[in-house]
Amino acid sequence: MNRRSLLLHAVAGTLGALVVFLSGAWGTLALWYQLPGGKVVRATGSVLWALLVLGLAALAIVWQAWWPIGAYALCTVLLMAWWRSIRPSNNRLWADDVARLLSGQVHGNLVTLHNVRDFDWRSDSDYDVRWETRDYDLDRLVSADAILSYWGSRAIAHAMISFGFDDGRHVVFSVEIRKKKGEAFSEIGGFFKQFEMVLVAADERDIVRVRTNVRGEDDYLYPMTLERSTMRALFLSYVDAANTLAARPAFYNTITSNCTTLVYRMARQLNPGLPMDLRLLLTGYLQGYLRDNGAIDASEPVEVQRARARIAEKAQRSGPGDDFSRAIRAPQ
């Protein structure tokens, strides 16, 4: 065998090993997150799959045979068929804050939203449950604000959009995981169908305050420079998305279906030229993306704007009887 053939053989072997390793690791995690049963069952399934992958890979190397690779390919096909059979559902024992599905009806300028959340939070486990049906007149829609909530890394934030009306009311739309009772968020689980996706509409006093005053998150509010017709269309896009999720449940995905990608797809319908960008995934840097694409003001330096946008301390200073939306928009 000449040098070129040896090189091609080595490259093919390396690529094959990489494919087997990555697909084997994916299968191990898929079984861990989705195999029916408790932790013992899931751990057993994951370990058996990993041993199968390693065993077939060892046989292929030691015996210099192709049949172990064929056997692995068949096992992978069966695993993928099982994976595709896992469907999202709206019928589970949900956590209280995502127990109800948002839906809406549009009659001309009037939008009726069902299951608007208005919880009074004292802690993550102590709260008053309140769901309401509310009417919103789109002729009175006057503002839209992007809200970014940070809880750890500067690169990651939860993104929400708050719509304001001329009577002082605000309603926030937030794409979130739909946790089951007792379940906690997992970035890795978000890749493996662990969570359904839910669209929440809530008062700022609920959905922003729980982050700033209960969970200690660092929140920033950026007024958006959208024309009223665009704000109206975006609001209606949220209503349409809520109705779609109520009729056809969908899985949350850490990359492809998260708090920004759904909004991006809706915004792209309004502006087809809106570019895909890494900052839609690294949502902590969404401020720069919004500035670059004319969605928020870009006339002042980034850090000056960021300091002005910070609302966490103002939220924490607000009292129970205060107008929370006015308090977080008060001058520094």
Side-chain angles (χ1 to χ4, degrees):
M1 187 178 294
N2 60 38
R3 181 176 298 178
R4 182 177 181 182
S5 296
L6 286 171
L7 180 60
L8 290 174
H9 187 75
V11 170
T14 301
L15 290 176
L18 183 61
V19 168
V20 169
F21 172 77
L22 292 176
S23 60
W26 179 89
T28 300
L29 289 170
L31 289 166
W32 169 254
Y33 282 104
Q34 285 299 329
L35 195 64
K39 288 186 177 181
V40 173
V41 174
R42 292 187 285 115
T44 300
S46 299
V47 169
L48 289 176
W49 173 261
L51 291 175
L52 175 68
V53 174
L54 293 174
L56 290 173
L59 288 175
I61 294 171
V62 173
W63 290 356
Q64 294 292 299
W66 285 102
W67 72 261
I69 301 301
Y72 174 67
L74 177 61
C75 292
T76 301
V77 169
L78 294 175
L79 183 70
M80 292 303 299
W82 163 75
W83 181 256
R84 288 178 61 86
S85 72
I86 301 171
R87 301 294 186 210
S89 173
N90 281 333
N91 299 312
R92 306 190 195 279
L93 188 59
W94 303 111
D96 290 339
D97 58 330
V98 289
R100 298 193 185 185
L101 286 171
L102 174 68
S103 64
Q105 298 166 323
V106 182
H107 302 285
N109 293 322
L110 186 66
V111 177
T112 300
L113 294 182
H114 303 284
N115 294 323
V116 177
R117 202 181 77 194
D118 185 20
F119 282 27
D120 186 10
W121 298 84
R122 289 173 291 277
S123 72
D124 264 331
S125 58
D126 181 17
Y127 44 79
D128 296 327
V129 174
R130 186 164 49 244
W131 299 91
E132 298 182 350
T133 294
R134 296 183 180 178
D135 293 326
Y136 297 93
D137 186 346
L138 295 183
D139 281 345
R140 305 183 70 177
L141 177 62
V142 294
S143 67
D145 301 310
I147 300 175
L148 302 182
S149 187
Y150 296 78
W151 64 90
S153 168
R154 173 70 183 269
I156 302 297
H158 181 71
M160 302 169 281
I161 294 190
S162 177
F163 292 91
F165 295 81
D166 63 7
D167 59 359
R169 292 194 303 163
H170 292 80
V171 60
V172 182
F173 289 100
S174 175
V175 178
E176 305 190 0
I177 63 167
R178 198 174 190 196
K179 301 188 302 293
K180 296 180 280 293
K181 278 191 177 294
E183 193 172 39
F185 177 65
S186 163
E187 289 87 352
I188 298 176
F191 289 103
F192 292 95
K193 298 184 178 181
Q194 185 177 4
F195 310 107
E196 275 82 4
M197 181 164 59
V198 66
L199 181 55
V200 176
D203 267 0
E204 290 181 337
R205 191 175 61 87
D206 170 340
I207 204 165
V208 177
R209 185 178 175 279
V210 70
R211 287 172 163 79
T212 55
N213 294 33
V214 174
R215 300 173 186 164
E217 297 182 14
D218 195 18
D219 283 29
Y220 296 77
L221 185 149
Y222 297 96
M224 303 185 76
T225 55
L226 303 179
E227 296 181 357
R228 293 187 68 167
S229 60
T230 303
M231 284 191 288
R232 176 191 177 104
L234 186 57
F235 190 101
L236 291 173
S237 293
Y238 270 111
V239 177
D240 183 62
N243 289 337
T244 298
L245 281 173
R248 297 193 301 274
F251 283 118
Y252 177 94
N253 185 282
T254 302
I255 289 181
T256 61
S257 296
N258 57 40
C259 65
T260 54
T261 53
L262 178 65
V263 180
Y264 169 75
R265 288 194 290 270
M266 292 190 298
R268 191 107 190 264
Q269 294 176 359
L270 307 177
N271 179 9
L274 198 63
M276 176 56 77
D277 193 291
L278 184 61
R279 290 171 293 185
L280 294 169
L281 303 179
L282 299 176
T283 46
Y285 304 114
L286 198 60
Q287 175 196 5
Y289 179 84
L290 295 174
R291 285 170 62 97
D292 291 347
N293 289 281
I296 63 175
D297 180 54
S299 62
E300 60 184 351
V302 171
E303 291 304 322
V304 173
Q305 182 184 49
R306 180 177 169 82
R308 192 191 308 277
R310 190 167 188 265
I311 62 172
E313 291 181 354
K314 290 185 284 188
Q316 291 159 6
R317 289 196 301 265
S318 66
D322 294 345
D323 183 329
F324 183 80
S325 294
R326 179 175 294 179
I328 62 176
R329 289 172 174 82
Q332 298 283 6

